[in-house]
Amino acid sequence: MAVNLLMPALSPTMETGTLAKWLVKEGDSVEAGDLLAEIETDKAVMEFEAVDDGTIAQILVAEGTENVAVNTPIALLAIDGDDLSSVPESADDTASRELPEPPPATGTPPPSSSVSETLPGLVAPGLGQPTFARTNGGRLGSGTGRILASPLARRMAANLGFDLSSIAGTGPRGRIVKRDIEGHQAASAGKPAAPAPAPISLASRPDIVAVYADRPHREVALDGMRKVVAARLTEAKQTIPHFYLRKSVRIDRLLEVRSDANASLESRGVRLSVNDFIIRAAALALQDVPACNAIWAGDRIVQFDASDVAVAVAIEGGLFTPVIRDCETRDLPDISAAMKDLAARARKRRLLPDEYQGGSFAISNLGMYGIESFDAVINPPHASILAVGAGRRTPVAQDGGGLTTASVMDMTLSVDHRVIDGALGAEFLGAISERLERPAGLLL
């Protein structure tokens, strides 16, 4: 019997992917560890390996196909010894492989009846081996597939004791979302359920374009990355109570220390950037003000011991925020090498999800574009982000009177007021500034 290989979910935000390239063809024999395909998510192109032996009996999704929904069959795999002549014409006649839903946040394991038989499947290198389950038990529909529901909706339903099969979904592709659970709860209590908001329609697009019908124009379709960026930034500005703290820092000494350090590191092929100093200064400042090394987690604040710093990297069509972990324990050459590697692979969309997810704080530096100052949007669930402008020569007042010139760099700290109050944010930005103005300490 042939089994379906399904489009896997490679990140928490992934709902569809692009089958960028097949690395095998029908009739090829594969062994565990062989690369089968390259799949493009909203953030990266990832290679997938076979985790069992068999023969590619049929390719169901052609390479280059976009917007392939998660859990859609993409190929049929005949386990060694199967008769290929018995491969069905329709994928519906085969057993299917399916990525399981994440377990509820309460830590309660899924009921044992929800999985009757585990099957091997595909795994992304470095992500660990997932468990695959046949679609014949647990919270599934009438034998045709599992119920689509967001993880939050599943947790709410479990806590309230609701059967998801009795709830109609109003989300994308009929997905059950938070508002559906709340409506069902209100209806169960005898209260009128609040009407679900009408789904967003693209009907307005022709109306908008019609206004510009007499002007030459072109329409650019949104790719997966741009859709995710748009959704996350809209969420951030609508749900996070931003406030902004601004400070100018004199960087003359930093530039001198950097020049001397680069001269001594030249033989090792290392060249430090100003951004490397900023990353380390921020990492140490998070240790100085540990209450700012935190994220917002809905009903609580989560604080961290290590300084995991995310750095925005612009790429064509969007941006990544790769995370440099344990920055407080790494020296400048190590931070510099890690940043160069992550940035290079980000521009090729070759980062793994665990390399751009996480962290508690981010840095966005537009100084190399000549921007003097700007306000950055917080990347949830982070509690703050530092916007860094270009260093410039400017007149400054001397302590004893009179004017001189100095190299000054403007910084703006965007802060989530739910996590960090004004005085605490000011202390954190002051700690970053002090470390940048005393750069010798960053070399230690």
Side-chain angles (χ1 to χ4, degrees):
M1 179 183 67
V3 292
N4 284 342
L5 300 181
L6 303 186
M7 172 68 78
L10 303 178
S11 71
T13 60
M14 180 178 170
E15 293 189 357
T16 64
T18 297
L19 208 158
K21 183 179 181 181
W22 279 109
L23 304 178
V24 294
K25 60 182 182 297
E26 291 181 359
D28 283 357
S29 296
V30 297
E31 298 179 353
D34 288 349
L35 297 179
L36 300 181
E38 292 181 353
I39 294 178
E40 181 178 350
T41 71
D42 54 320
K43 289 287 189 180
V45 177
M46 303 183 64
E47 295 175 333
F48 283 83
E49 299 177 356
V51 294
D52 58 353
D53 301 340
T55 301
I56 302 298
Q58 187 176 358
I59 289 177
L60 303 175
V61 176
E63 66 179 43
T65 302
E66 300 178 351
N67 298 320
V68 181
V70 168
N71 289 333
T72 297
I74 59 176
L76 300 181
L77 180 70
I79 304 301
D80 284 352
D82 289 343
D83 181 5
L84 294 183
S85 64
S86 65
V87 173
E89 293 297 325
S90 170
D92 294 335
D93 297 332
T94 67
S96 63
R97 302 184 177 203
E98 178 178 297
L99 283 169
E101 285 292 318
T106 57
T108 304
S112 58
S113 61
S114 66
V115 177
S116 63
E117 181 181 350
T118 58
L119 293 172
L122 296 177
V123 62
L127 295 183
Q129 181 167 328
T131 302
F132 295 88
R134 297 183 66 172
T135 57
N136 57 356
R139 295 185 178 273
L140 304 178
S142 57
T144 60
R146 67 189 180 91
I147 294 174
L148 290 176
S150 70
L152 175 59
R154 288 184 181 275
R155 290 197 297 271
M156 293 175 63
N159 291 337
L160 295 170
F162 292 160
D163 182 358
L164 287 176
S165 64
S166 65
I167 301 174
T170 62
R173 306 196 312 277
R175 187 181 185 90
I176 299 172
V177 294
K178 176 184 176 182
R179 62 174 176 263
D180 302 320
I181 302 297
E182 292 173 338
H184 189 77
Q185 182 182 19
S188 300
K191 302 176 182 177
I200 296 175
S201 172
L202 294 179
S204 61
R205 180 181 58 80
D207 298 335
I208 293 173
V209 174
V211 176
Y212 301 94
D214 62 339
R215 307 304 301 160
H217 67 275
R218 64 183 181 278
E219 297 182 32
V220 180
L222 301 181
D223 63 10
M225 172 173 285
R226 180 50 56 186
K227 289 178 182 177
V228 170
V229 169
R232 286 182 62 82
L233 294 185
T234 299
E235 174 194 0
K237 290 298 287 185
Q238 289 179 342
T239 63
I240 298 178
H242 286 63
F243 73 93
Y244 306 93
L245 301 171
R246 311 181 199 280
K247 193 172 183 63
S248 297
V249 57
R250 294 179 62 166
I251 58 172
D252 298 271
R253 292 172 63 183
L254 187 153
L255 296 175
E256 292 174 1
V257 168
R258 171 178 174 261
S259 178
D260 292 342
N262 281 337
S264 63
L265 293 170
E266 185 176 3
S267 61
R268 293 167 50 185
V270 176
R271 183 169 181 79
L272 304 177
S273 68
V274 172
N275 208 46
D276 298 330
F277 282 84
I278 296 171
I279 294 169
R280 179 151 171 77
L284 295 177
L286 288 170
Q287 298 295 307
D288 297 334
V289 190
C292 289
N293 192 16
I295 61 171
W296 178 255
D299 62 348
R300 68 199 65 194
I301 295 170
V302 179
Q303 295 184 348
F304 299 95
D305 296 327
S307 296
D308 296 340
V309 178
V311 183
V313 175
I315 68 169
E316 184 178 356
L319 75 156
F320 277 99
T321 51
V323 180
I324 305 177
R325 305 189 188 277
D326 301 306
C327 277
E328 80 282 4
T329 65
R330 306 172 76 160
D331 61 20
L332 281 166
D334 188 18
I335 289 173
S336 180
M339 189 66 244
K340 287 181 174 64
D341 172 62
L342 289 169
R345 289 191 290 115
R347 294 186 181 100
K348 296 178 181 178
R349 299 196 180 192
R350 292 292 180 178
L351 292 177
L352 295 174
D354 62 349
E355 293 177 312
Y356 59 79
Q357 295 173 357
S360 61
F361 167 80
I363 296 171
S364 180
N365 189 341
L366 293 180
M368 65 284 293
Y369 298 102
I371 301 301
E372 294 183 359
S373 67
F374 66 103
D375 299 340
V377 180
I378 296 171
N379 183 28
H382 295 175
S384 59
I385 183 172
L386 183 70
V388 181
R392 65 192 189 281
R393 297 295 295 179
T394 186
V396 296
Q398 294 179 304
D399 292 339
L403 291 175
T404 185
T405 60
S407 295
V408 175
M409 182 174 69
D410 291 336
M411 301 185 300
T412 301
L413 185 69
S414 303
V415 183
D416 183 344
H417 214 324
R418 299 171 299 181
V419 182
I420 301 172
D421 294 324
L424 185 62
E427 182 183 359
F428 178 41
L429 184 56
I432 297 174
S433 301
E434 182 177 355
R435 287 193 173 275
L436 290 174
E437 291 185 341
R438 301 176 182 272
L442 301 177
L443 297 174
L444 303 177

